[in-house]
Amino acid sequence: MDRFQRDLKEKDFIFTFELVPGRSIRTQQFSEILRFIERAPEYDYFSAFSITDNAGGHPALSPVALGRVIKSLDLSAIIHLTCKDKNRNQLESELLALDRENLHNLLVLTGDYPFYGYLGRAKPVFDLDSVLLLQLITEMEKGIEIPKGAPGGGNRLPPIPFFKGCAVSPFKLTIEELWWQYLKLYRKLKAGARFIITQVGFSPSTLYQLKLILNEGLTKYFSERLNDERLHKPEEDSQFKQVPILPSILYLQAPLIKALLKGRIPGILLGRRVWKRFQEVGFSEEVALEVCAKLTVIYQRMGFKGVHLCGFPPNWELLKRFFELYHRLHEEVKNKEEVYYELLTEFDDYIVFEDNGYLIEKNLANIDKPLPKKRFSFSYSINNFFHNLFFSRKSPFYSTFLKFFTWVSKKRALEKFFSTLEYAIKRPLFNCHECGDCTLWDFNYICPQSQCAKYILNGACGGSINSFCEVYPYKKVCLYVRVLRQGEPREFMKGYLAKDPPYLPPRDWSLYRTSSWINFYLKRGHFKDEDRGGRN
């Protein structure tokens, strides 16, 4: 067991530190990071150093290179592993390489959408999402079984001792966005996440609500809010309660504040009172350190397991000042309880951001707010009618169509005709991408392959802002928000939570440009398991 895992078990409160490798090892920035890491044992502040994976969607040095240096100094590294530019095979290869380097602590993320790249924007991959990647790693921890037909098929590989965590962002502006964060967190925990590092936020009360819900029972909360006792699973709640939470704290600098105001950093919203504090006194290191130290003391008092420091330059003198300020405030809170409540008043649930040149102040969403009511949608109603008639296993015509499409599948010309017919209908209606493994009815008849920039199948990413997609801010509403705004949201959520296995499997690329109508009846792709096949 390395230091990070040991400290999570044995210490009351820990610190981790995020490193952002640059684009080259031949720069002053990288030399400074190396010197910073080499002096880490001298200060002994941190239980682990996390290393980003192409943060912001920009190309950068692989986190493995720095991880190897950190490991050589007998320190703990947390490798960020993202899905944005690796398919499932490359992700498995990278996990095997991490095992070889003895780098087993992982923060599993969907990842930022690719931005800058050689000769233009890089192609996004997102073959798996964070839930599916966590599930893959869980299988590798047990010893993954090689599929029959593959080289070495039928054999089980030796287990790998990974220790994986996940992220969650409870700092959202609309109730739909917030519900998806909680629901996706549920799937991540079910998939085996063993620690949580939250998104950056400036509302301690919002984060404390997340902690309370996990402590009191996540599935219990869902069952009460959705009025369905079947969703309550005490064994899972007991397990989730033990998962440590580390809130992220961001060291603010002037350019970063401007970027946050303009919504250029996916998922991070600037707190109103924090922003006003900088407006009053101007930017200074002292104010930035003060904000970080106060949040740290508040989170410690709230009972979180530790904090994750982000955005700090690799400068030990600056960090020394931060820890001195933190220890002083911590002693004041211990000696005077009212100091803690005074600190809380310096943060609130409001955020500020710019929208079309206007400065907006808006309250963060509260998970206790009711889900939106069912809205009538003609397109949803007609699609649901035809789905239940032709593509439900409960349909009175199911057995007839099963025989018909089984016969069609044996006639190559007829199979091609039905593929052409299907996509002639679905392209104009759904902007169909001809995946052949259709999940329309799992998303209230909105196609995730064409309507989600990251093609995510198991819950929204954390990058949305005020319901809008991080890739198309203020232009395109997030797919998952749209899903909850049509159909019956409560019933949809119940189906989402009751799904077993607890995830929608990744797209089967062997079915590309084949007929999903035929594949449904022949149980190909994700249709082979009725529990995974949506509301059939």
Side-chain angles (χ1 to χ4, degrees):
M1 184 183 298
D2 74 352
R3 177 175 176 177
F4 175 59
Q5 298 175 39
R6 185 175 64 250
D7 284 358
L8 278 178
K9 284 190 173 184
E10 298 176 359
K11 289 191 174 182
D12 294 327
F13 196 76
I14 71 170
F15 292 84
T16 57
F17 187 89
E18 185 170 279
L19 295 167
V20 183
R23 198 161 177 172
S24 172
I25 63 169
R26 306 175 191 279
T27 61
Q28 182 179 350
Q29 177 197 8
F30 186 73
S31 299
E32 289 174 354
I33 290 174
L34 283 182
R35 288 195 293 269
F36 177 78
I37 294 170
E38 288 166 357
R39 294 188 64 189
E42 177 184 338
Y43 289 90
D44 198 32
Y45 289 149
F46 301 110
S47 296
F49 294 87
S50 81
I51 313 163
T52 61
D53 180 14
N54 291 7
H58 313 310
L61 179 69
S62 166
V64 177
L66 279 178
R68 190 181 296 121
V69 174
I70 291 168
K71 202 72 180 177
S72 70
L73 295 170
D74 201 26
L75 302 169
S76 286
I78 303 172
I79 303 296
H80 292 210
L81 188 62
T82 65
C83 308
K84 63 184 178 302
D85 42 25
K86 308 175 188 74
N87 68 12
R88 66 197 78 178
N89 288 4
Q90 181 60 31
L91 284 166
E92 187 174 340
S93 296
E94 185 153 337
L95 286 162
L96 295 171
L98 288 167
D99 181 39
R100 176 66 181 86
E101 298 291 343
N102 200 26
L103 295 168
H104 293 126
N105 300 323
L106 308 171
L107 181 61
V108 176
L109 307 161
T110 297
D112 295 326
Y113 196 83
F115 200 53
Y116 293 114
Y118 172 66
L119 296 180
R121 180 171 282 190
K123 179 182 180 180
V125 179
F126 298 106
D127 188 31
L128 303 182
D129 55 42
S130 54
V131 173
L132 292 168
L133 181 51
L134 283 163
Q135 191 66 39
L136 167 63
I137 299 169
T138 294
E139 293 299 319
M140 295 180 78
E141 288 174 28
K142 299 174 184 175
I144 199 166
E145 185 174 343
I146 302 174
K148 292 180 180 179
N155 293 320
R156 185 174 291 277
L157 296 175
I160 300 174
F162 287 121
F163 185 71
K164 58 194 182 297
C166 69
V168 64
S169 179
F171 309 103
K172 290 298 175 185
L173 293 172
T174 65
I175 190 62
E176 296 95 343
E177 292 174 281
L178 185 55
W179 263 92
W180 276 117
Q181 287 302 306
Y182 274 84
L183 288 161
K184 193 169 185 181
L185 176 62
Y186 171 72
R187 279 191 168 173
K188 289 175 179 179
L189 294 171
K190 287 264 288 185
R194 296 166 71 182
F195 64 92
I196 300 167
I197 294 180
T198 74
Q199 178 59 282
V200 169
F202 298 92
S203 171
S205 60
T206 297
L207 205 53
Y208 188 58
Q209 188 175 34
L210 169 68
K211 184 178 187 297
L212 285 178
I213 289 173
L214 284 174
N215 283 347
E216 293 173 8
L218 187 57
T219 70
K220 179 183 177 183
Y221 183 83
F222 290 146
S223 70
E224 291 173 350
R225 300 289 290 137
L226 298 174
N227 197 26
D228 190 337
E229 292 183 359
R230 295 172 299 175
L231 300 177
H232 185 206
K233 300 171 184 176
E235 311 82 22
E236 290 182 1
D237 284 345
S238 178
Q239 177 186 346
F240 299 161
K241 182 180 178 180
Q242 307 303 318
V243 177
I245 305 173
L246 279 69
S248 289
I249 294 178
L250 182 63
Y251 177 78
L252 291 167
Q253 303 182 57
L256 184 56
I257 293 173
K258 291 180 181 179
L260 290 175
L261 279 174
K262 294 184 180 295
R264 291 177 179 166
I265 303 179
I268 303 181
L269 304 172
L270 183 61
R272 179 181 64 175
R273 289 187 180 170
V274 171
W275 174 69
K276 287 186 174 179
R277 172 70 171 149
F278 280 104
Q279 271 198 318
E280 290 168 1
V281 302
F283 174 78
S284 71
E285 286 185 349
E286 291 306 318
V287 176
L289 290 174
E290 181 183 287
V291 169
C292 293
K294 288 176 177 178
L295 283 171
T296 301
V297 170
I298 289 170
Y299 290 140
Q300 185 171 11
R301 175 66 174 72
M302 285 178 167
F304 287 95
K305 191 63 180 180
V307 293
H308 181 65
L309 301 185
C310 313
F312 277 80
N315 183 317
W316 287 111
E317 292 306 312
L318 184 71
L319 284 166
K320 185 178 178 182
R321 287 160 55 198
F322 161 76
F323 276 97
E324 288 171 351
L325 182 56
Y326 152 69
H327 285 301
R328 180 173 63 77
L329 286 170
H330 179 57
E331 287 302 312
E332 289 181 16
V333 168
K334 280 173 62 178
N335 296 328
K336 293 183 179 180
E337 182 74 7
E338 60 268 26
V339 174
Y340 167 69
Y341 296 102
E342 289 173 7
L343 292 178
L344 279 177
T345 63
E346 299 187 27
F347 303 91
D348 62 10
D349 293 336
Y350 281 83
I351 64 97
V352 290
F353 62 97
E354 290 183 6
D355 182 0
N356 199 27
Y358 294 95
L359 190 68
I360 308 295
E361 293 186 11
K362 189 171 180 180
N363 198 13
L364 289 168
N366 189 314
I367 191 66
D368 290 335
K369 181 181 177 182
L371 279 164
K373 294 181 179 179
K374 180 179 179 180
R375 300 181 186 178
F376 175 77
S377 165
F378 177 77
S379 63
Y380 172 82
S381 299
I382 196 72
N383 285 324
N384 205 41
F385 171 78
F386 281 109
H387 167 71
N388 290 331
L389 187 64
F390 295 111
F391 302 107
S392 170
R393 306 197 195 283
K394 298 176 183 177
S395 168
F397 304 108
Y398 175 75
S399 59
T400 302
F401 280 118
L402 174 60
K403 293 175 184 177
F404 174 73
F405 280 111
T406 301
W407 174 75
V408 166
S409 68
K410 298 174 183 177
K411 310 291 182 180
R412 186 175 298 176
L414 272 177
E415 187 170 14
K416 185 176 180 180
F417 167 78
F418 272 98
S419 297
T420 304
L421 176 64
E422 175 182 348
Y423 295 121
I425 295 170
K426 289 166 70 175
R427 275 193 214 101
L429 289 177
F430 308 107
N431 192 17
C432 177
H433 281 199
E434 306 178 16
C435 70
D437 200 6
C438 189
T439 55
L440 273 172
W441 44 88
D442 289 288
F443 294 90
N444 284 344
Y445 310 103
I446 304 174
C447 173
Q449 298 299 318
S450 64
Q451 300 302 306
C452 177
K454 297 181 181 179
Y455 326 117
I456 297 175
L457 295 176
N458 288 293
C461 73
S464 64
I465 177 169
N466 204 21
S467 293
F468 288 95
C469 170
E470 71 170 71
V471 185
Y472 306 103
Y474 311 115
K475 295 179 182 178
K476 187 174 181 180
V477 175
C478 169
L479 160 78
Y480 282 90
V481 172
R482 293 168 61 198
V483 164
L484 282 190
R485 288 179 178 173
Q486 70 175 21
E488 174 49 71
R490 294 169 66 88
E491 293 304 314
F492 180 88
M493 287 303 186
K494 289 178 186 179
Y496 184 95
L497 288 164
K499 194 176 288 292
D500 185 25
Y503 57 86
L504 201 65
R507 172 176 169 177
D508 185 342
W509 280 87
S510 70
L511 302 179
Y512 182 44
R513 290 189 172 174
T514 64
S515 170
S516 66
W517 295 350
I518 297 174
N519 295 334
F520 168 77
Y521 282 100
L522 271 62
K523 296 189 177 182
R524 296 169 178 162
H526 81 283
F527 302 119
K528 62 188 174 186
D529 188 323
E530 288 190 9
D531 289 332
R532 291 178 174 176
R535 301 184 296 277
N536 294 320

